[in-house]
Amino acid sequence: MKCAFGSGVRSAARLTALAENAGFTVAACHDIGWDHRMWVLAPAPGDRAS
């Protein structure tokens, strides 16, 4: 990951914090195989864009 994208792998907690800082909430997470996870995001409560 470091060589391909310039960063390491983020933990689930760090990805959740990243989504929340961007104005989303994590509605669900699904393991989809091969150490990959699908994150389902929703607008944060009170977000006017919804």
Side-chain angles (χ1 to χ4, degrees):
M1 293 292 289
K2 181 92 171 159
C3 293
F5 302 109
S7 67
V9 178
R10 288 185 173 108
S11 67
R14 299 238 359 223
L15 282 169
T16 299
L18 180 66
E20 290 172 350
N21 287 338
F24 295 98
T25 59
V26 177
C29 292
H30 305 284
D31 289 330
I32 56 174
W34 293 39
D35 293 330
H36 287 79
R37 181 172 284 172
M38 179 175 64
W39 297 80
V40 180
L41 303 179
D47 187 9
R48 293 185 180 151
S50 57

mmCIF file of all heavy atoms in Angstrom:
data_model
loop_
_atom_site.group_PDB
_atom_site.id
_atom_site.type_symbol
_atom_site.label_atom_id
_atom_site.label_comp_id
_atom_site.label_asym_id
_atom_site.label_seq_id
_atom_site.Cartn_x
_atom_site.Cartn_y
_atom_site.Cartn_z
ATOM 1 N N MET A 1 0.824 -1.189 0.000
ATOM 2 C CA MET A 1 0.000 0.000 0.000
ATOM 3 C C MET A 1 0.869 1.254 0.000
ATOM 4 O O MET A 1 0.549 2.202 -0.675
ATOM 5 C CB MET A 1 -0.928 -0.006 1.211
ATOM 6 C CG MET A 1 -2.002 -1.083 1.202
ATOM 7 S SD MET A 1 -3.248 -0.868 -0.064
ATOM 8 C CE MET A 1 -4.123 0.531 0.563
ATOM 9 N N LYS A 2 1.947 1.215 0.755
ATOM 10 C CA LYS A 2 2.816 2.384 0.839
ATOM 11 C C LYS A 2 3.421 2.714 -0.522
ATOM 12 O O LYS A 2 3.446 3.870 -0.934
ATOM 13 C CB LYS A 2 3.916 2.135 1.875
ATOM 14 C CG LYS A 2 4.847 3.292 2.064
ATOM 15 C CD LYS A 2 4.363 4.164 3.155
ATOM 16 C CE LYS A 2 5.394 5.210 3.491
ATOM 17 N NZ LYS A 2 4.828 6.325 4.170
ATOM 18 N N CYS A 3 3.877 1.714 -1.233
ATOM 19 C CA CYS A 3 4.500 1.941 -2.540
ATOM 20 C C CYS A 3 3.476 2.371 -3.588
ATOM 21 O O CYS A 3 3.755 3.228 -4.413
ATOM 22 C CB CYS A 3 5.216 0.682 -3.009
ATOM 23 S SG CYS A 3 6.645 0.257 -2.013
ATOM 24 N N ALA A 4 2.299 1.772 -3.566
ATOM 25 C CA ALA A 4 1.301 2.055 -4.594
ATOM 26 C C ALA A 4 0.577 3.381 -4.372
ATOM 27 O O ALA A 4 0.293 4.100 -5.322
ATOM 28 C CB ALA A 4 0.280 0.913 -4.658
ATOM 29 N N PHE A 5 0.262 3.702 -3.103
ATOM 30 C CA PHE A 5 -0.570 4.863 -2.830
ATOM 31 C C PHE A 5 0.054 5.897 -1.912
ATOM 32 O O PHE A 5 -0.554 6.915 -1.639
ATOM 33 C CB PHE A 5 -1.905 4.406 -2.227
ATOM 34 C CG PHE A 5 -2.653 3.451 -3.113
ATOM 35 C CD1 PHE A 5 -2.761 2.115 -2.766
ATOM 36 C CD2 PHE A 5 -3.224 3.872 -4.292
ATOM 37 C CE1 PHE A 5 -3.439 1.224 -3.577
ATOM 38 C CE2 PHE A 5 -3.898 2.998 -5.117
ATOM 39 C CZ PHE A 5 -4.008 1.668 -4.758
ATOM 40 N N GLY A 6 1.242 5.626 -1.403
ATOM 41 C CA GLY A 6 1.909 6.591 -0.543
ATOM 42 C C GLY A 6 1.451 6.573 0.897
ATOM 43 O O GLY A 6 1.768 7.471 1.664
ATOM 44 N N SER A 7 0.654 5.592 1.276
ATOM 45 C CA SER A 7 0.203 5.510 2.667
ATOM 46 C C SER A 7 0.053 4.051 3.065
ATOM 47 O O SER A 7 0.012 3.167 2.220
ATOM 48 C CB SER A 7 -1.142 6.220 2.847
ATOM 49 O OG SER A 7 -2.157 5.530 2.150
ATOM 50 N N GLY A 8 -0.037 3.849 4.330
ATOM 51 C CA GLY A 8 -0.243 2.502 4.834
ATOM 52 C C GLY A 8 -1.726 2.168 4.889
ATOM 53 O O GLY A 8 -2.575 2.923 4.429
ATOM 54 N N VAL A 9 -2.032 1.047 5.475
ATOM 55 C CA VAL A 9 -3.413 0.616 5.614
ATOM 56 C C VAL A 9 -4.013 1.281 6.850
ATOM 57 O O VAL A 9 -3.410 1.271 7.917
ATOM 58 C CB VAL A 9 -3.473 -0.924 5.742
ATOM 59 C CG1 VAL A 9 -4.906 -1.395 5.935
ATOM 60 C CG2 VAL A 9 -2.869 -1.575 4.514
ATOM 61 N N ARG A 10 -5.190 1.862 6.713
ATOM 62 C CA ARG A 10 -5.866 2.482 7.846
ATOM 63 C C ARG A 10 -6.675 1.441 8.601
ATOM 64 O O ARG A 10 -7.238 0.543 8.007
ATOM 65 C CB ARG A 10 -6.794 3.589 7.369
ATOM 66 C CG ARG A 10 -6.090 4.816 6.875
ATOM 67 C CD ARG A 10 -7.108 5.902 6.552
ATOM 68 N NE ARG A 10 -6.455 7.140 6.241
ATOM 69 C CZ ARG A 10 -6.388 7.651 5.015
ATOM 70 N NH1 ARG A 10 -6.937 7.024 4.006
ATOM 71 N NH2 ARG A 10 -5.767 8.789 4.812
ATOM 72 N N SER A 11 -6.775 1.619 9.893
ATOM 73 C CA SER A 11 -7.600 0.734 10.720
ATOM 74 C C SER A 11 -9.078 1.087 10.514
ATOM 75 O O SER A 11 -9.409 2.151 9.973
ATOM 76 C CB SER A 11 -7.233 0.896 12.191
ATOM 77 O OG SER A 11 -7.599 2.185 12.642
ATOM 78 N N ALA A 12 -9.960 0.208 10.978
ATOM 79 C CA ALA A 12 -11.395 0.475 10.875
ATOM 80 C C ALA A 12 -11.766 1.753 11.618
ATOM 81 O O ALA A 12 -12.583 2.543 11.142
ATOM 82 C CB ALA A 12 -12.185 -0.713 11.408
ATOM 83 N N ALA A 13 -11.160 1.973 12.771
ATOM 84 C CA ALA A 13 -11.446 3.182 13.548
ATOM 85 C C ALA A 13 -11.003 4.438 12.801
ATOM 86 O O ALA A 13 -11.704 5.459 12.802
ATOM 87 C CB ALA A 13 -10.766 3.107 14.909
ATOM 88 N N ARG A 14 -9.852 4.363 12.138
ATOM 89 C CA ARG A 14 -9.355 5.538 11.397
ATOM 90 C C ARG A 14 -10.203 5.801 10.158
ATOM 91 O O ARG A 14 -10.425 6.950 9.797
ATOM 92 C CB ARG A 14 -7.893 5.346 11.019
ATOM 93 C CG ARG A 14 -7.014 5.184 12.228
ATOM 94 C CD ARG A 14 -5.890 6.123 12.445
ATOM 95 N NE ARG A 14 -5.651 7.149 11.501
ATOM 96 C CZ ARG A 14 -4.452 7.490 11.068
ATOM 97 N NH1 ARG A 14 -3.390 6.831 11.471
ATOM 98 N NH2 ARG A 14 -4.294 8.479 10.224
ATOM 99 N N LEU A 15 -10.682 4.753 9.492
ATOM 100 C CA LEU A 15 -11.566 4.948 8.342
ATOM 101 C C LEU A 15 -12.912 5.527 8.772
ATOM 102 O O LEU A 15 -13.467 6.389 8.083
ATOM 103 C CB LEU A 15 -11.769 3.636 7.590
ATOM 104 C CG LEU A 15 -10.615 3.245 6.683
ATOM 105 C CD1 LEU A 15 -10.786 1.819 6.186
ATOM 106 C CD2 LEU A 15 -10.498 4.199 5.516
ATOM 107 N N THR A 16 -13.428 5.075 9.911
ATOM 108 C CA THR A 16 -14.667 5.629 10.438
ATOM 109 C C THR A 16 -14.494 7.112 10.755
ATOM 110 O O THR A 16 -15.345 7.936 10.408
ATOM 111 C CB THR A 16 -15.123 4.857 11.687
ATOM 112 O OG1 THR A 16 -15.365 3.492 11.310
ATOM 113 C CG2 THR A 16 -16.379 5.445 12.293
ATOM 114 N N ALA A 17 -13.391 7.472 11.387
ATOM 115 C CA ALA A 17 -13.113 8.875 11.700
ATOM 116 C C ALA A 17 -12.979 9.709 10.426
ATOM 117 O O ALA A 17 -13.474 10.842 10.360
ATOM 118 C CB ALA A 17 -11.850 8.982 12.549
ATOM 119 N N LEU A 18 -12.356 9.164 9.405
ATOM 120 C CA LEU A 18 -12.208 9.861 8.133
ATOM 121 C C LEU A 18 -13.579 10.143 7.514
ATOM 122 O O LEU A 18 -13.857 11.254 7.049
ATOM 123 C CB LEU A 18 -11.348 9.022 7.180
ATOM 124 C CG LEU A 18 -11.084 9.600 5.807
ATOM 125 C CD1 LEU A 18 -10.236 10.849 5.902
ATOM 126 C CD2 LEU A 18 -10.411 8.560 4.929
ATOM 127 N N ALA A 19 -14.460 9.138 7.516
ATOM 128 C CA ALA A 19 -15.807 9.319 6.972
ATOM 129 C C ALA A 19 -16.580 10.367 7.772
ATOM 130 O O ALA A 19 -17.258 11.222 7.190
ATOM 131 C CB ALA A 19 -16.550 7.993 6.969
ATOM 132 N N GLU A 20 -16.483 10.310 9.093
ATOM 133 C CA GLU A 20 -17.199 11.274 9.937
ATOM 134 C C GLU A 20 -16.676 12.687 9.732
ATOM 135 O O GLU A 20 -17.460 13.645 9.691
ATOM 136 C CB GLU A 20 -17.109 10.858 11.398
ATOM 137 C CG GLU A 20 -17.926 9.617 11.702
ATOM 138 C CD GLU A 20 -17.705 9.061 13.093
ATOM 139 O OE1 GLU A 20 -16.768 9.519 13.805
ATOM 140 O OE2 GLU A 20 -18.466 8.147 13.470
ATOM 141 N N ASN A 21 -15.380 12.842 9.562
ATOM 142 C CA ASN A 21 -14.811 14.169 9.296
ATOM 143 C C ASN A 21 -15.253 14.716 7.948
ATOM 144 O O ASN A 21 -15.274 15.933 7.745
ATOM 145 C CB ASN A 21 -13.287 14.122 9.367
ATOM 146 C CG ASN A 21 -12.769 13.994 10.775
ATOM 147 O OD1 ASN A 21 -13.456 14.337 11.724
ATOM 148 N ND2 ASN A 21 -11.558 13.485 10.916
ATOM 149 N N ALA A 22 -15.607 13.832 7.017
ATOM 150 C CA ALA A 22 -16.081 14.244 5.695
ATOM 151 C C ALA A 22 -17.593 14.470 5.671
ATOM 152 O O ALA A 22 -18.146 14.794 4.624
ATOM 153 C CB ALA A 22 -15.693 13.190 4.662
ATOM 154 N N GLY A 23 -18.275 14.290 6.810
ATOM 155 C CA GLY A 23 -19.701 14.552 6.880
ATOM 156 C C GLY A 23 -20.584 13.333 6.645
ATOM 157 O O GLY A 23 -21.747 13.474 6.280
ATOM 158 N N PHE A 24 -20.042 12.150 6.839
ATOM 159 C CA PHE A 24 -20.804 10.918 6.661
ATOM 160 C C PHE A 24 -20.861 10.144 7.969
ATOM 161 O O PHE A 24 -20.108 10.401 8.891
ATOM 162 C CB PHE A 24 -20.137 10.018 5.607
ATOM 163 C CG PHE A 24 -20.127 10.596 4.233
ATOM 164 C CD1 PHE A 24 -19.006 11.241 3.752
ATOM 165 C CD2 PHE A 24 -21.236 10.489 3.414
ATOM 166 C CE1 PHE A 24 -18.988 11.778 2.480
ATOM 167 C CE2 PHE A 24 -21.234 11.022 2.146
ATOM 168 C CZ PHE A 24 -20.102 11.670 1.675
ATOM 169 N N THR A 25 -21.750 9.169 8.018
ATOM 170 C CA THR A 25 -21.741 8.166 9.061
ATOM 171 C C THR A 25 -21.572 6.818 8.372
ATOM 172 O O THR A 25 -21.935 6.652 7.207
ATOM 173 C CB THR A 25 -23.038 8.149 9.886
ATOM 174 O OG1 THR A 25 -24.138 7.897 9.017
ATOM 175 C CG2 THR A 25 -23.261 9.456 10.607
ATOM 176 N N VAL A 26 -21.015 5.865 9.070
ATOM 177 C CA VAL A 26 -20.854 4.522 8.530
ATOM 178 C C VAL A 26 -22.133 3.753 8.832
ATOM 179 O O VAL A 26 -22.429 3.452 9.980
ATOM 180 C CB VAL A 26 -19.616 3.822 9.126
ATOM 181 C CG1 VAL A 26 -19.506 2.405 8.596
ATOM 182 C CG2 VAL A 26 -18.356 4.615 8.822
ATOM 183 N N ALA A 27 -22.909 3.480 7.789
ATOM 184 C CA ALA A 27 -24.177 2.773 7.952
ATOM 185 C C ALA A 27 -23.948 1.279 8.137
ATOM 186 O O ALA A 27 -24.689 0.619 8.853
ATOM 187 C CB ALA A 27 -25.084 3.025 6.756
ATOM 188 N N ALA A 28 -22.909 0.742 7.483
ATOM 189 C CA ALA A 28 -22.617 -0.692 7.587
ATOM 190 C C ALA A 28 -21.239 -0.962 7.011
ATOM 191 O O ALA A 28 -20.712 -0.169 6.234
ATOM 192 C CB ALA A 28 -23.655 -1.512 6.837
ATOM 193 N N CYS A 29 -20.657 -2.073 7.411
ATOM 194 C CA CYS A 29 -19.403 -2.581 6.846
ATOM 195 C C CYS A 29 -19.615 -4.052 6.522
ATOM 196 O O CYS A 29 -20.202 -4.778 7.319
ATOM 197 C CB CYS A 29 -18.252 -2.468 7.834
ATOM 198 S SG CYS A 29 -17.773 -0.793 8.193
ATOM 199 N N HIS A 30 -19.144 -4.465 5.363
ATOM 200 C CA HIS A 30 -19.288 -5.853 4.953
ATOM 201 C C HIS A 30 -17.930 -6.376 4.492
ATOM 202 O O HIS A 30 -17.297 -5.748 3.638
ATOM 203 C CB HIS A 30 -20.282 -5.989 3.795
ATOM 204 C CG HIS A 30 -21.623 -5.408 4.074
ATOM 205 N ND1 HIS A 30 -22.553 -6.042 4.882
ATOM 206 C CD2 HIS A 30 -22.201 -4.256 3.677
ATOM 207 C CE1 HIS A 30 -23.640 -5.298 4.942
ATOM 208 N NE2 HIS A 30 -23.448 -4.204 4.228
ATOM 209 N N ASP A 31 -17.491 -7.485 5.052
ATOM 210 C CA ASP A 31 -16.295 -8.138 4.544
ATOM 211 C C ASP A 31 -16.665 -8.811 3.231
ATOM 212 O O ASP A 31 -17.623 -9.593 3.170
ATOM 213 C CB ASP A 31 -15.769 -9.166 5.547
ATOM 214 C CG ASP A 31 -15.165 -8.499 6.772
ATOM 215 O OD1 ASP A 31 -14.638 -7.377 6.631
ATOM 216 O OD2 ASP A 31 -15.225 -9.090 7.860
ATOM 217 N N ILE A 32 -15.923 -8.479 2.171
ATOM 218 C CA ILE A 32 -16.276 -9.006 0.851
ATOM 219 C C ILE A 32 -15.225 -9.973 0.312
ATOM 220 O O ILE A 32 -15.293 -10.362 -0.841
ATOM 221 C CB ILE A 32 -16.532 -7.864 -0.157
ATOM 222 C CG1 ILE A 32 -15.327 -6.927 -0.263
ATOM 223 C CG2 ILE A 32 -17.773 -7.082 0.242
ATOM 224 C CD1 ILE A 32 -15.460 -5.876 -1.342
ATOM 225 N N GLY A 33 -14.281 -10.352 1.149
ATOM 226 C CA GLY A 33 -13.295 -11.354 0.765
ATOM 227 C C GLY A 33 -11.929 -10.768 0.467
ATOM 228 O O GLY A 33 -11.787 -9.591 0.187
ATOM 229 N N TRP A 34 -10.937 -11.627 0.559
ATOM 230 C CA TRP A 34 -9.544 -11.286 0.269
ATOM 231 C C TRP A 34 -9.089 -10.064 1.060
ATOM 232 O O TRP A 34 -8.415 -9.181 0.551
ATOM 233 C CB TRP A 34 -9.325 -11.080 -1.214
ATOM 234 C CG TRP A 34 -9.475 -12.289 -2.047
ATOM 235 C CD1 TRP A 34 -10.397 -13.281 -1.904
ATOM 236 C CD2 TRP A 34 -8.684 -12.651 -3.170
ATOM 237 N NE1 TRP A 34 -10.241 -14.216 -2.866
ATOM 238 C CE2 TRP A 34 -9.186 -13.860 -3.673
ATOM 239 C CE3 TRP A 34 -7.603 -12.064 -3.810
ATOM 240 C CZ2 TRP A 34 -8.642 -14.498 -4.764
ATOM 241 C CZ3 TRP A 34 -7.078 -12.704 -4.909
ATOM 242 C CH2 TRP A 34 -7.581 -13.913 -5.375
ATOM 243 N N ASP A 35 -9.490 -9.996 2.322
ATOM 244 C CA ASP A 35 -9.134 -8.888 3.214
ATOM 245 C C ASP A 35 -9.627 -7.534 2.721
ATOM 246 O O ASP A 35 -9.008 -6.509 2.970
ATOM 247 C CB ASP A 35 -7.621 -8.837 3.446
ATOM 248 C CG ASP A 35 -7.124 -10.035 4.219
ATOM 249 O OD1 ASP A 35 -7.895 -10.584 5.029
ATOM 250 O OD2 ASP A 35 -5.964 -10.430 4.010
ATOM 251 N N HIS A 36 -10.747 -7.515 2.001
ATOM 252 C CA HIS A 36 -11.359 -6.274 1.553
ATOM 253 C C HIS A 36 -12.679 -6.083 2.290
ATOM 254 O O HIS A 36 -13.373 -7.041 2.589
ATOM 255 C CB HIS A 36 -11.618 -6.289 0.037
ATOM 256 C CG HIS A 36 -10.377 -6.149 -0.769
ATOM 257 N ND1 HIS A 36 -9.525 -7.192 -0.991
ATOM 258 C CD2 HIS A 36 -9.837 -5.077 -1.391
ATOM 259 C CE1 HIS A 36 -8.512 -6.779 -1.730
ATOM 260 N NE2 HIS A 36 -8.681 -5.501 -1.982
ATOM 261 N N ARG A 37 -13.001 -4.839 2.553
ATOM 262 C CA ARG A 37 -14.233 -4.506 3.265
ATOM 263 C C ARG A 37 -14.966 -3.419 2.485
ATOM 264 O O ARG A 37 -14.362 -2.484 1.977
ATOM 265 C CB ARG A 37 -13.905 -4.009 4.665
ATOM 266 C CG ARG A 37 -15.134 -3.654 5.482
ATOM 267 C CD ARG A 37 -14.765 -3.355 6.897
ATOM 268 N NE ARG A 37 -14.496 -4.642 7.539
ATOM 269 C CZ ARG A 37 -14.002 -4.778 8.753
ATOM 270 N NH1 ARG A 37 -13.686 -3.738 9.466
ATOM 271 N NH2 ARG A 37 -13.809 -5.966 9.262
ATOM 272 N N MET A 38 -16.276 -3.562 2.379
ATOM 273 C CA MET A 38 -17.103 -2.552 1.730
ATOM 274 C C MET A 38 -17.721 -1.677 2.816
ATOM 275 O O MET A 38 -18.345 -2.183 3.756
ATOM 276 C CB MET A 38 -18.213 -3.213 0.909
ATOM 277 C CG MET A 38 -19.114 -2.201 0.233
ATOM 278 S SD MET A 38 -20.345 -2.944 -0.858
ATOM 279 C CE MET A 38 -21.326 -3.889 0.311
ATOM 280 N N TRP A 39 -17.531 -0.390 2.706
ATOM 281 C CA TRP A 39 -18.056 0.576 3.659
ATOM 282 C C TRP A 39 -19.281 1.234 3.044
ATOM 283 O O TRP A 39 -19.211 1.795 1.953
ATOM 284 C CB TRP A 39 -17.000 1.641 3.967
ATOM 285 C CG TRP A 39 -15.788 1.075 4.622
ATOM 286 C CD1 TRP A 39 -14.756 0.430 4.017
ATOM 287 C CD2 TRP A 39 -15.507 1.060 6.001
ATOM 288 N NE1 TRP A 39 -13.847 0.026 4.949
ATOM 289 C CE2 TRP A 39 -14.278 0.407 6.187
ATOM 290 C CE3 TRP A 39 -16.168 1.546 7.116
ATOM 291 C CZ2 TRP A 39 -13.707 0.214 7.422
ATOM 292 C CZ3 TRP A 39 -15.588 1.379 8.353
ATOM 293 C CH2 TRP A 39 -14.374 0.713 8.497
ATOM 294 N N VAL A 40 -20.411 1.162 3.728
ATOM 295 C CA VAL A 40 -21.636 1.797 3.273
ATOM 296 C C VAL A 40 -21.774 3.089 4.065
ATOM 297 O O VAL A 40 -21.907 3.066 5.287
ATOM 298 C CB VAL A 40 -22.861 0.880 3.497
ATOM 299 C CG1 VAL A 40 -24.128 1.565 3.001
ATOM 300 C CG2 VAL A 40 -22.649 -0.459 2.812
ATOM 301 N N LEU A 41 -21.721 4.214 3.358
ATOM 302 C CA LEU A 41 -21.777 5.515 4.009
ATOM 303 C C LEU A 41 -23.130 6.166 3.786
ATOM 304 O O LEU A 41 -23.790 5.938 2.770
ATOM 305 C CB LEU A 41 -20.675 6.435 3.460
ATOM 306 C CG LEU A 41 -19.255 5.913 3.584
ATOM 307 C CD1 LEU A 41 -18.279 6.907 2.973
ATOM 308 C CD2 LEU A 41 -18.889 5.621 5.015
ATOM 309 N N ALA A 42 -23.548 6.980 4.741
ATOM 310 C CA ALA A 42 -24.794 7.744 4.655
ATOM 311 C C ALA A 42 -24.496 9.162 5.122
ATOM 312 O O ALA A 42 -23.545 9.388 5.878
ATOM 313 C CB ALA A 42 -25.860 7.106 5.534
ATOM 314 N N PRO A 43 -25.296 10.119 4.670
ATOM 315 C CA PRO A 43 -25.079 11.486 5.168
ATOM 316 C C PRO A 43 -25.224 11.521 6.680
ATOM 317 O O PRO A 43 -26.032 10.796 7.260
ATOM 318 C CB PRO A 43 -26.204 12.288 4.501
ATOM 319 C CG PRO A 43 -26.618 11.480 3.325
ATOM 320 C CD PRO A 43 -26.382 10.032 3.720
ATOM 321 N N ALA A 44 -24.438 12.366 7.304
ATOM 322 C CA ALA A 44 -24.512 12.517 8.761
ATOM 323 C C ALA A 44 -25.871 13.092 9.149
ATOM 324 O O ALA A 44 -26.480 13.833 8.373
ATOM 325 C CB ALA A 44 -23.394 13.436 9.247
ATOM 326 N N PRO A 45 -26.382 12.745 10.325
ATOM 327 C CA PRO A 45 -27.654 13.323 10.781
ATOM 328 C C PRO A 45 -27.578 14.855 10.768
ATOM 329 O O PRO A 45 -26.570 15.427 11.172
ATOM 330 C CB PRO A 45 -27.809 12.797 12.197
ATOM 331 C CG PRO A 45 -26.963 11.583 12.264
ATOM 332 C CD PRO A 45 -25.818 11.835 11.312
ATOM 333 N N GLY A 46 -28.619 15.457 10.279
ATOM 334 C CA GLY A 46 -28.653 16.926 10.211
ATOM 335 C C GLY A 46 -27.969 17.490 8.993
ATOM 336 O O GLY A 46 -27.912 18.702 8.823
ATOM 337 N N ASP A 47 -27.465 16.630 8.098
ATOM 338 C CA ASP A 47 -26.811 17.101 6.879
ATOM 339 C C ASP A 47 -27.867 17.638 5.922
ATOM 340 O O ASP A 47 -28.841 16.964 5.614
ATOM 341 C CB ASP A 47 -26.027 15.962 6.220
ATOM 342 C CG ASP A 47 -25.198 16.420 5.053
ATOM 343 O OD1 ASP A 47 -25.082 17.645 4.838
ATOM 344 O OD2 ASP A 47 -24.663 15.553 4.348
ATOM 345 N N ARG A 48 -27.686 18.828 5.452
ATOM 346 C CA ARG A 48 -28.678 19.471 4.589
ATOM 347 C C ARG A 48 -28.657 18.945 3.164
ATOM 348 O O ARG A 48 -29.573 19.193 2.396
ATOM 349 C CB ARG A 48 -28.446 20.974 4.570
ATOM 350 C CG ARG A 48 -28.720 21.588 5.906
ATOM 351 C CD ARG A 48 -28.620 23.076 5.850
ATOM 352 N NE ARG A 48 -28.892 23.608 7.173
ATOM 353 C CZ ARG A 48 -28.398 24.724 7.621
ATOM 354 N NH1 ARG A 48 -27.597 25.448 6.865
ATOM 355 N NH2 ARG A 48 -28.693 25.136 8.823
ATOM 356 N N ALA A 49 -27.619 18.219 2.774
ATOM 357 C CA ALA A 49 -27.513 17.718 1.404
ATOM 358 C C ALA A 49 -28.445 16.543 1.150
ATOM 359 O O ALA A 49 -28.676 16.154 0.020
ATOM 360 C CB ALA A 49 -26.082 17.307 1.100
ATOM 361 N N SER A 50 -29.020 15.942 2.188
ATOM 362 C CA SER A 50 -29.860 14.753 1.991
ATOM 363 C C SER A 50 -31.267 15.099 1.566
ATOM 364 O O SER A 50 -31.790 16.131 1.656
ATOM 365 C CB SER A 50 -29.894 13.906 3.250
ATOM 366 O OG SER A 50 -30.353 14.644 4.344
#
